[in-house]
C-alpha cells in the first residue's frame, strides 16, 4: 500500500514540475496581454496571448480574452471561434456565454437548434460532463478503492466492518466501470463531434464536393458547424438545425 | 380695193398658222423602250384631231393586259385650243428579243392616218419590275428607311443603339404623316425607345453617295439579353409620298401624285458575344458598363429601437435597370425592412446613365457593437474587356443603450446561464487569472499505459492473498487459527494464574483478578459495580447464554470460596480449564 502511494506522489510531483516549467513565462506574457487590452491595443494583446498558446499551454481564460479582443476589432468570426474554444475547456462559464451572446447578436445567421429528446439530452450531457482525463483519473481512483476494500474485507474481523467492506467493494467496482464507460464515451464523442466556425464573409453550402454542385443555402461568418466527412478540399458539414451540405475547407476553421 | 385686198391678205396670212396647226398628228408612245420579261409596257396612241375608226395593231409578241382605254383632253390656253385623244393599252411581253409594235390607224375627215411602228427590246426578267415614269417606282427609288445599328457585335448586356432614318431624295417630298404598320420587335433585347418630341428635325445627308434629306424617326437603346445571332424585326411604315410628275397644273407647276408606299427597314442581325468566363467574380450579377459603387449609413451611434438607414448605390453608365444590387447582410439583432428602391436613370443614345440605390431601414434590438460587413460589386467593362470589382468600406454601428438580451440563438442555453449569476447587461471584462493546461496532451486514457496503471492496482489483490497465504502457512492452518487466537487471549488474561498453579491460594486470587479484568475489558464494567447481580444483568443484556453466565458466576464464586476457605478440596487444573472455556465462550458469543 505504501509503495503504491509513494509511487503516485512521485508521479504527481514530477507532473507538476514538468507543468510548472515555463509557467512564469506564460503568466508574464498573459499579464502583458491583459495590460495591452486595458490600453485598447487589441492587436498587440492578441499577439502576446498567441505567443502563450504557441508555447504549448492554454486555458479558458486566455481564449476568452482573445475572443473579447477580436470582438473589439470587429472580427466576429475569430471572436466566436475563441469563445467556443474557451467553452470547450470550461463549458459552464456564464461570463463566456454572456459575452458570446453579444457577438452572436451581431452575426447574420440564426440557426435554431433542433429539439432533442430527453434521452438525447442526457446522452449529450453525459458526454460533456467531465474531460476524458478526469474520467481516467476517476477510473484509477475507483480501481484503487476497490483493491483497498477487498483487502480490508479480509483484514477486518467484525461482521459490520466486513459488511461495509463488501458493499464498498461492489460500489467501487461499479463506479470504476462507469468511469471507464463515460471516458470512452467522452472520447468517442470528441472524435465524432468536431466543430468549426465559418470564417468566410459569405459562402455557399453545396449539395456535393464540387463547384458545379447546386448551392443549397448561404452561410455567413461566425456560424458554428459540425464537421462530418472530408474529401480533398471539401468538407461535409451539419448545422444545429440538421441541414447538411459541402463547403470548401478554406472557408471554415476547425476548433 | 387695194386696201381691201391688203386686209384680206393679212387675214389669210394670219390664218395660215391656224391651218398649219390643224395638221393631223398621230403617234405611238411607249412608256419604255427596254423592259424586262416580267415588266409591263404602256403604249399610248395619241392624236391631235378627233379621229374615228381606230384600228389597233396586232401586238404580236405581246399580250394585251388592258385597253384600249380612250381618253380625250381638250384645253384652251390663251385662246389656243389643244386637243388630244389617246388610246392606251397595257401590254406584257411574251418572249425575249426585239419586238415591233405595228401600225395603228385612224380616220380623220375621211383620210386614213397611220402611226409609226415602235421597236421595243425585251430583256430577261428583272428583279423589280420598273416603270420609269411610274410614281410607285419613283417613290421606291427615292425614299429609303434605314436602321443604323451602332455596334453589331456587342457583348451581352452592352448597350447598342438602333436609329431608324428615313432618307428622302430631292425629287420627292413627304407632306403628310406616315403610319406605322409594323413596329420593330426586339425579342431577346431589353429595349427602350427614345421618341422624338415635337417636330421632326430634317437633316442633310448622303445616301449611297447622293444627296438626301433625312429625318430620324426613332431611336432605340437595346441591351442584348441572349448571346448568339439575334435579329431585330424590321420597322415597316406606310408613307404617303408626293411624287412630282412631268405634268404641270393650271398654273404651270409640276403636278404631284401621292403614292402610298410601304417601306421597311430590313431585318438586322446582331451577333452578341458572351461575357468571358475566366476571372468572372463570384458576385457578378450581370452589370455591364462603367460604374461607381458606394454604401453609407445615416448614423453610426444610436439607441436600441431607433432606426438608421443603410443605402447601397450604384452610379454610372450601363445596364442599370438590368442587374440586382448586392444584398447586404445584417446582424440578426437588427430588424430589417424591405429596401426602398430609388432609381434616377435617364436613357440617352449611349445607353442608361444615372444611379440606382436601395435604402434599408434598420432597427437594432439589442445593445452592442455591430460591424456591417463590406459589400462588393462586380461589373464587366466592355471597353477594357475585363471584370472590375469595387468594394465599399465597412461600417460600424454602436448601439449604446438598450437591452442586452440574448438572441433567439441562446434560448436553450439561457437556462444554464441563469444558474450562474452573470450580469448579462454588459459586456464583461477579460479574465486576469489563468490556470494553464498543456495543449495537445498525449492521449493517456485507453492507451496501454493507462491499462498498466489499472492492472498495477489490481495486482495488489493476488499479491496480498499470496502474501497472507504464505503468512498463514508459516503460522499454521486456518483451523488452528481460532485456537491460537483463543490461547493468546487466554494467555493474556490467565498467564498469572497459570504461573501460580502450584499454589492454590495465589492461583485463585490471580484467577479472580483475571476474570475481573476480562469482564472489565469485555463488558466495559467498572470494578466497583462488580456485584454478581450486576454482572448477571449486564451479561443478560449482552445476550450471553444462560449457561455461560452460570458458569462464569460459578467460577467467580469458587474463586472466592477458595480464597476465604483454602482448606476445601480444590481442583486447580479443572478450574483453570473451566476459566479458559468460559472466556472463550463469552468472547465468541459476544461477536
Amino acid at each position: 500500500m505504501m509503495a503504491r502511494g509513494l509511487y503516485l506522489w512521485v508521479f504527481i510531483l514530477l507532473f507538476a514540475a514538468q507543468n510548472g516549467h515555463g509557467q512564469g513565462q506564460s503568466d508574464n506574457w498573459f499579464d502583458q496581454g491583459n495590460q495591452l487590452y486595458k490600453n485598447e491595443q487589441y492587436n498587440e494583446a492578441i499577439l502576446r496571448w498567441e505567443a502563450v498558446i504557441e508555447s504549448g499551454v492554454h486555458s479558458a481564460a486566455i481564449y476568452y480574452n482573445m475572443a473579447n479582443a477580436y470582438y473589439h476589432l470587429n472580427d466576429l468570426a475569430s471572436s466566436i471561434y475563441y469563445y467556443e474554444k474557451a467553452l470547450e475547456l470550461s463549458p459552464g462559464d456564464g461570463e463566456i456565454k454572456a459575452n458570446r451572446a453579444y457577438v452572436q447578436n451581431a452575426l447574420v445567421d440564426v440557426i435554431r437548434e433542433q429539439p432533442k429528446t430527453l434521452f438525447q439530452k442526457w446522452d449529450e450531457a453525459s458526454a460533456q460532463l467531465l474531460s476524458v482525463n478526469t474520467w481516467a483519473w476517476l477510473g484509477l481512483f475507483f480501481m484503487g478503492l476497490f483493491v483497498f476494500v477487498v483487502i480490508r474485507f479480509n483484514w477486518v474481523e467484525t461482521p459490520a466492518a466486513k459488511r461495509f467492506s463488501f458493499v464498498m467493494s461492489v460500489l467501487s467496482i461499479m463506479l470504476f466501470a462507469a468511469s471507464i464507460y463515460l471516458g470512452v464515451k467522452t472520447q468517442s464523442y470528441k472524435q465524432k463531434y468536431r466543430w468549426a466556425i465559418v470564417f468566410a464573409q459569405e459562402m455557399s453550402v453545396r449539395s456535393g464536393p464540387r463547384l458545379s454542385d447546386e448551392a443549397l443555402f448561404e452561410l455567413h461568418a461566425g456560424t458554428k458547424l459540425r464537421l462530418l466527412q472530408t474529401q480533398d478540399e471539401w468538407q461535409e458539414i451539419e448545422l444545429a438545425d440538421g441541414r447538411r451540405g459541402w463547403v470548401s475547407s478554406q472557408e471554415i476553421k476547425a476548433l | 380695193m387695194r386696201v381691201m385686198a391688203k386686209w384680206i391678205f393679212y387675214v389669210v396670212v394670219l390664218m395660215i398658222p391656224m391651218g398649219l396647226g390643224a395638221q393631223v398628228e398621230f403617234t405611238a408612245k411607249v412608256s419604255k423602250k427596254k423592259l424586262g420579261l416580267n415588266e409591263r409596257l404602256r403604249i399610248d396612241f395619241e392624236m391631235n384631231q378627233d379621229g374615228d375608226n381606230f384600228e389597233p395593231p396586232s401586238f404580236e409578241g405581246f399580250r394585251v393586259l388592258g385597253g384600249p382605254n380612250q381618253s380625250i383632253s381638250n384645253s384652251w390656253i390663251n385662246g389656243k385650243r389643244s386637243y388630244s385623244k389617246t388610246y392606251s393599252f397595257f401590254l406584257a411581253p411574251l418572249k425575249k428579243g426585239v419586238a415591233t409594235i405595228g401600225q395603228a390607224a385612224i380616220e380623220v375627215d375621211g383620210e386614213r392616218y397611220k402611226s409609226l411602228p415602235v421597236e421595243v427590246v425585251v430583256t430577261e426578267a428583272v428583279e423589280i419590275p420598273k416603270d420609269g415614269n411610274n410614281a410607285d417606282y419613283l417613290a421606291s427609288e427615292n425614299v429609303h428607311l434605314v436602321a443604323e445599328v451602332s455596334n453589331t457585335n456587342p457583348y451581352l448586356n452592352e448597350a447598342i443603339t438602333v436609329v431608324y432614318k428615313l432618307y428622302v431624295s430631292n425629287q420627292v417630298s413627304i407632306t403628310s404623316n406616315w403610319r406605322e404598320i409594323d413596329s420593330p420587335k426586339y425579342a431577346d433585347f431589353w429595349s427602350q425607345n427614345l421618341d422624338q418630341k415635337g417636330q421632326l428635325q430634317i437633316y442633310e445627308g448622303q445616301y449611297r453617295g447622293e444627296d438626301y434629306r433625312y429625318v430620324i424617326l426613332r431611336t432605340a437603346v437595346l441591351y442584348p439579353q441572349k448571346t448568339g445571332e439575334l435579329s431585330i424585326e424590321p420597322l415597316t411604315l406606310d408613307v404617303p409620298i408626293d411624287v412630282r410628275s412631268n405634268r404641270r397644273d393650271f398654273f404651270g407647276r409640276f403636278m404631284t401624285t401621292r403614292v402610298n408606299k410601304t417601306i421597311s427597314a430590313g431585318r438586322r442581325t446582331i451577333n452578341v458575344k458572351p461575357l468571358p468566363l475566366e476571372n468572372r467574380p463570384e458576385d457578378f450579377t450581370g452589370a455591364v458598363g462603367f460604374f461607381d459603387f458606394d454604401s453609407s449609413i445615416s448614423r453610426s451611434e444610436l439607441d436600441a429601437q431607433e432606426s438608421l438607414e443603410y443605402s447601397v448605390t450604384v452610379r454610372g453608365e450601363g445596364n442599370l435597370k438590368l442587374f440586382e444590387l448586392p444584398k447586404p447582410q445584417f446582424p440578426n439583432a437588427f430588424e430589417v425592412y424591405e429596401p426602398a428602391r430609388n432609381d434616377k436613370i435617364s436613357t440617352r443614345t449611349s445607353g442608361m446613365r444615372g444611379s440606382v440605390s436601395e435604402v434599408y431601414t434598420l432597427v437594432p434590438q439589442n445593445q452592442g457593437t455591430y460591424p456591417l460587413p463590406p459589400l462588393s460589386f462586380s461589373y464587366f467593362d466592355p471597353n477594357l474587356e475585363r471584370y472590375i470589382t469595387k468594394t465599399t468600406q465597412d461600417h460600424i454601428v454602436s448601439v449604446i443603450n438598450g437591452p442586452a438580451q440574448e438572441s433567439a440563438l441562446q434560448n436553450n442555453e439561457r437556462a444554464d446561464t441563469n444558474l450562474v449569476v452573470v450580469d448579462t447587461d454588459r459586456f464583461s471584462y477579460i479574465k486576469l487569472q489563468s490556470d494553464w493546461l498543456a495543449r495537445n496532451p498525449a492521449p493517456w486514457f485507453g492507451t496501454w499505459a493507462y491499462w498498466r496503471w489499472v492492472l498495477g492496482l489490481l495486482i495488489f489483490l493476488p499479491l496480498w492473498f499470496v502474501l497472507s497465504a504464505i503468512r498463514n502457512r508459516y503460522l499454521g492452518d486456518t483451523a488452528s487459527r481460532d485456537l491460537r487466537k483463543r490461547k493468546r487471549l487466554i494467555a493474556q488474561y490467565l498467564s498469572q494464574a497459570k504461573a501460580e498453579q502450584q499454589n492454590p491460594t495465589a492461583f485463585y486470587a490471580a484467577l479472580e483478578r483475571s476474570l475481573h479484568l476480562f469482564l472489565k475489558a469485555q463488558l466495559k464494567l467498572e470494578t466497583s459495580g462488580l456485584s454478581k447481580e450486576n454482572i448477571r444483568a449486564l451479561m443478560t443484556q449482552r445476550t450471553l447464554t444462560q449457561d455461560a453466565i452460570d458458569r462464569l458466576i460459578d467460577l467467580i464464586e469458587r474463586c472466592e470460596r477458595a480464597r476465604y476457605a483454602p482448606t476445601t478440596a480444590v481442583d486447580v487444573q479443572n478450574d483453570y480449564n473451566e476459566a479458559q472455556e468460559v472466556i472463550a465462550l463469552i468472547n465468541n458469543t459476544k461477536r
Side-chain angles (χ1 to χ4, degrees):
Chain A
M1 290 290 279
M2 273 316 286
R4 193 183 67 97
L6 203 73
Y7 190 67
L8 243 175
W9 274 112
V10 167
F11 180 81
I12 286 166
L13 282 173
L14 269 172
F15 188 75
Q18 189 186 8
N19 217 18
H21 176 71
Q23 181 145 3
Q25 182 62 34
S26 300
D27 274 331
N28 189 16
W29 281 339
F30 182 67
D31 291 340
Q32 280 178 24
N34 293 351
Q35 200 60 40
L36 286 163
Y37 181 91
K38 190 187 168 199
N39 299 335
E40 299 188 358
Q41 290 168 281
Y42 301 119
N43 276 319
E44 290 81 353
I46 287 167
L47 282 180
R48 291 291 186 292
W49 290 327
E50 266 174 355
V52 177
I53 292 165
E54 278 298 302
S55 77
V57 292
H58 65 175
S59 70
I62 195 165
Y63 286 137
Y64 167 76
N65 291 2
M66 285 178 80
N68 287 352
Y70 274 119
Y71 177 58
H72 286 299
L73 291 173
N74 298 312
D75 186 346
L76 302 183
S78 300
S79 182
I80 288 286
Y81 179 80
Y82 284 109
Y83 281 128
E84 293 292 345
K85 280 202 98 108
L87 283 171
E88 262 190 357
L89 294 178
S90 172
D93 195 314
E95 222 171 19
I96 299 173
K97 282 185 182 174
N99 275 11
R100 182 183 61 169
Y102 267 85
V103 185
Q104 275 168 338
N105 270 340
L107 297 183
V108 174
D109 298 320
V110 178
I111 312 288
R112 279 174 210 288
E113 244 176 78
Q114 268 185 327
K116 286 179 191 141
T117 62
L118 195 64
F119 177 75
Q120 279 175 320
K121 277 184 192 165
W122 283 350
D123 197 47
E124 245 173 57
S126 66
Q128 289 169 322
L129 200 59
L130 292 171
S131 73
V132 178
N133 243 17
T134 317
W135 285 121
W137 279 107
L138 273 176
L140 273 191
F141 170 76
F142 287 123
M143 180 43 81
L145 190 70
F146 171 73
V147 168
F148 175 71
V149 292
V150 167
I151 290 171
R152 187 171 176 271
F153 177 84
N154 288 287
W155 191 267
V156 293
E157 279 166 0
T158 59
K162 269 198 188 294
R163 228 176 1 253
F164 177 72
S165 292
F166 177 74
V167 170
M168 279 302 286
S169 68
V170 171
L171 206 65
S172 57
I173 197 74
M174 278 166 68
L175 284 171
F176 167 75
S179 301
I180 296 298
Y181 170 72
L182 286 170
V184 169
K185 194 171 170 181
T186 309
Q187 204 168 38
S188 67
Y189 182 87
K190 283 216 162 159
Q191 278 158 7
K192 203 169 132 198
Y193 288 83
R194 291 172 300 121
W195 305 96
I197 302 293
V198 178
F199 267 68
Q201 200 59 255
E202 187 175 278
M203 67 171 192
S204 302
V205 180
R206 296 182 188 276
S207 58
R210 283 179 301 251
L211 270 177
S212 54
D213 281 312
E214 184 199 357
L216 302 172
F217 50 92
E218 301 271 301
L219 285 180
H220 302 89
T223 305
K224 190 178 175 183
L225 310 164
R226 187 188 153 193
L227 300 177
L228 303 170
Q229 319 176 65
T230 312
Q231 191 179 29
D232 300 332
E233 294 285 279
W234 291 83
Q235 176 71 54
E236 192 183 14
I237 54 109
E238 188 186 57
L239 290 173
D241 60 8
R243 286 183 290 174
R244 284 185 180 199
W246 289 83
V247 299
S248 163
S249 307
Q250 286 147 2
E251 292 174 321
I252 59 173
K253 194 167 163 189
L255 284 176
Chain B
M1 254 338 264
R2 276 193 66 95
V3 172
M4 190 67 171
K6 200 178 175 182
W7 274 104
I8 290 167
F9 174 77
Y10 281 133
V11 167
V12 170
V13 168
L14 282 172
M15 286 292 282
I16 285 168
M18 286 184 72
L20 286 172
Q23 199 180 340
V24 174
E25 279 179 32
F26 183 51
T27 54
K29 276 186 191 168
V30 286
S31 58
K32 35 181 138 175
K33 294 241 170 186
K34 190 179 178 186
L35 75 163
L37 194 57
N38 55 345
E39 287 183 287
R40 291 171 183 194
L41 180 71
R42 179 177 144 172
I43 184 159
D44 293 331
F45 297 102
E46 203 179 327
M47 67 205 81
N48 62 348
Q49 296 284 327
D50 189 10
D52 294 322
N53 298 331
F54 173 68
E55 236 178 76
S58 61
F59 298 126
E60 248 178 82
F62 290 95
R63 190 157 54 90
V64 178
L65 297 171
N69 302 322
Q70 188 182 318
S71 70
I72 293 168
S73 87
N74 203 355
S75 59
W76 291 86
I77 299 165
N78 294 336
K80 193 188 173 195
R81 175 177 179 257
S82 75
Y83 176 89
S84 84
K85 185 178 184 179
T86 312
Y87 290 91
S88 305
F89 291 86
F90 289 97
L91 307 173
L94 291 174
K95 61 180 183 196
K96 283 199 288 179
V98 179
T100 310
I101 300 173
Q103 291 177 311
I106 51 154
E107 199 170 290
V108 180
D109 295 334
E111 288 215 37
R112 279 194 77 79
Y113 294 89
K114 284 186 175 180
S115 68
L116 289 171
V118 182
E119 283 193 353
V120 174
V121 179
V122 179
T123 62
E124 277 186 38
V126 294
E127 273 182 34
I128 308 156
K130 285 180 200 167
D131 178 358
N133 284 324
N134 193 332
D136 245 29
Y137 172 69
L138 277 175
S140 64
E141 282 295 293
N142 289 297
V143 178
H144 305 280
L145 184 59
V146 173
E148 281 179 4
V149 179
S150 64
N151 184 1
T152 55
N153 193 17
Y155 275 109
L156 187 73
N157 258 320
E158 184 184 355
I160 59 169
T161 318
V162 180
V163 181
Y164 292 95
K165 287 179 181 170
L166 186 64
Y167 283 92
V168 180
S169 82
N170 291 320
Q171 291 178 35
V172 296
S173 63
I174 294 171
T175 51
S176 71
N177 260 333
W178 48 82
R179 198 162 54 85
E180 202 171 293
I181 294 173
D182 205 0
S183 296
K185 287 176 196 69
Y186 311 112
D188 304 320
F189 289 96
W190 185 92
S191 66
Q192 182 159 2
N193 285 324
L194 303 171
D195 281 317
Q196 244 83 13
K197 288 182 191 80
Q199 198 80 35
L200 287 178
Q201 191 93 33
I202 297 167
Y203 304 93
E204 294 289 329
Q206 292 234 317
Y207 181 79
R208 286 186 190 159
E210 285 175 44
D211 284 338
Y212 268 77
R213 293 163 293 158
Y214 69 88
V215 288
I216 294 174
L217 292 182
R218 158 175 307 187
T219 309
V221 176
L222 306 181
Y223 288 93
Q225 300 299 300
K226 248 172 74 176
T227 58
E229 302 250 317
L230 303 183
S231 64
I232 301 175
E233 300 282 321
L235 168 71
T236 309
L237 297 177
D238 184 31
V239 192
I241 305 165
D242 295 329
V243 183
R244 195 175 68 180
S245 70
N246 289 326
R247 283 178 288 177
R248 290 169 188 264
D249 66 3
F250 183 79
F251 303 104
R253 294 178 302 202
F254 282 108
M255 298 259 283
T256 57
T257 314
R258 175 159 292 182
V259 176
N260 269 320
K261 189 79 190 150
T262 303
I263 51 176
S264 169
R267 182 182 294 257
R268 294 299 300 262
T269 304
I270 310 248
N271 190 14
V272 183
K273 288 185 279 186
L275 298 176
L277 275 175
E278 69 263 26
N279 302 325
R280 175 179 290 193
E282 238 178 69
D283 56 355
F284 179 72
T285 56
V288 176
F290 321 97
F291 301 105
D292 252 344
F293 180 57
D294 194 23
S295 71
S296 64
I297 51 173
S298 61
R299 56 210 290 208
S300 60
E301 280 191 5
L302 72 168
D303 290 346
Q305 303 299 341
E306 292 185 325
S307 73
L308 81 151
E309 285 185 345
Y310 181 92
S311 51
V312 182
T313 310
V314 170
R315 194 175 284 109
E317 209 175 311
N319 56 343
L320 282 164
K321 284 180 183 168
L322 299 176
F323 56 82
E324 294 277 301
L325 287 179
K327 291 262 170 289
Q329 300 292 340
F330 299 110
N332 62 67
F334 281 19
E335 212 169 286
V336 183
Y337 294 93
E338 273 297 296
R341 195 175 163 110
N342 199 356
D343 291 2
K344 283 179 196 147
I345 301 172
S346 61
T347 311
R348 300 166 186 212
T349 50
S350 58
M352 285 184 269
R353 171 195 281 273
S355 70
V356 181
S357 62
E358 275 181 354
V359 180
Y360 294 82
T361 304
L362 310 175
V363 181
Q365 305 292 307
N366 304 116
Q367 62 156 293
T369 310
Y370 300 96
L372 304 178
L375 279 179
S376 68
F377 172 73
S378 297
Y379 62 90
F380 182 75
D381 188 326
N383 283 7
L384 298 174
E385 300 198 322
R386 63 187 176 87
Y387 293 98
I388 291 171
T389 301
K390 291 199 168 167
T391 309
T392 63
Q393 76 276 24
D394 54 347
H395 303 286
I396 290 158
V397 177
S398 302
V399 181
I400 298 152
N401 297 312
Q405 187 197 341
E406 289 162 51
S407 66
L409 194 64
Q410 271 353 85
N411 266 343
N412 54 342
E413 286 186 359
R414 199 177 297 165
D416 313 354
T417 323
N418 284 355
L419 291 176
V420 191
V421 181
V422 176
D423 185 4
T424 55
D425 282 343
R426 61 182 175 80
F427 190 78
S428 302
Y429 194 67
I430 53 168
K431 292 175 197 284
L432 299 175
Q433 297 295 322
S434 177
D435 298 321
W436 302 111
L437 295 166
R439 229 150 51 89
N440 307 322
W444 181 51
F445 181 77
T447 60
W448 177 230
Y450 179 76
W451 293 115
R452 265 205 310 253
W453 275 93
V454 174
L455 285 176
L457 287 173
L458 263 176
I459 210 90
F460 276 94
L461 275 183
L463 206 66
W464 189 83
F465 282 116
V466 167
L467 281 177
S468 63
I470 291 166
R471 190 159 144 272
N472 280 350
R473 184 172 300 166
Y474 174 71
L475 293 174
D477 57 23
T478 34
S480 64
R481 210 176 70 183
D482 283 350
L483 195 66
R484 270 202 319 276
K485 203 190 257 175
R486 201 185 314 149
K487 272 182 185 161
R488 200 172 62 232
L489 192 71
I490 290 161
Q492 196 181 327
Y493 290 107
L494 301 183
S495 55
Q496 218 176 351
K498 196 180 177 182
E500 301 289 346
Q501 262 182 354
Q502 305 308 316
N503 182 359
T505 316
F507 168 76
Y508 281 108
L511 185 63
E512 197 185 0
R513 198 165 55 247
S514 301
L515 285 172
H516 276 238
L517 274 169
F518 171 71
L519 283 173
K520 256 164 74 180
Q522 294 294 318
L523 308 176
K524 302 199 173 54
L525 292 175
E526 291 302 314
T527 322
S528 55
L530 259 183
S531 69
K532 285 179 200 75
E533 291 70 28
N534 214 347
I535 290 167
R536 188 178 287 273
L538 277 165
M539 292 184 84
T540 316
Q541 265 178 30
R542 278 179 176 63
T543 65
L544 294 177
T545 53
Q546 199 58 43
D547 175 50
I549 298 165
D550 285 346
R551 282 171 74 175
L552 181 69
I553 301 290
D554 200 37
L555 190 63
I556 292 171
E557 276 176 354
R558 250 183 290 157
C559 287
E560 285 171 354
R561 231 180 296 134
R563 264 207 300 151
Y564 301 119
T567 50
T568 48
V570 286
D571 188 350
V572 172
Q573 191 54 49
N574 195 29
D575 283 342
Y576 178 72
N577 288 346
E578 176 73 3
Q580 278 185 341
E581 275 172 32
V582 167
I583 285 171
L585 189 63
I586 290 173
N587 199 45
N588 284 346
T589 337
K590 194 193 75 189
R591 243 180 233 177

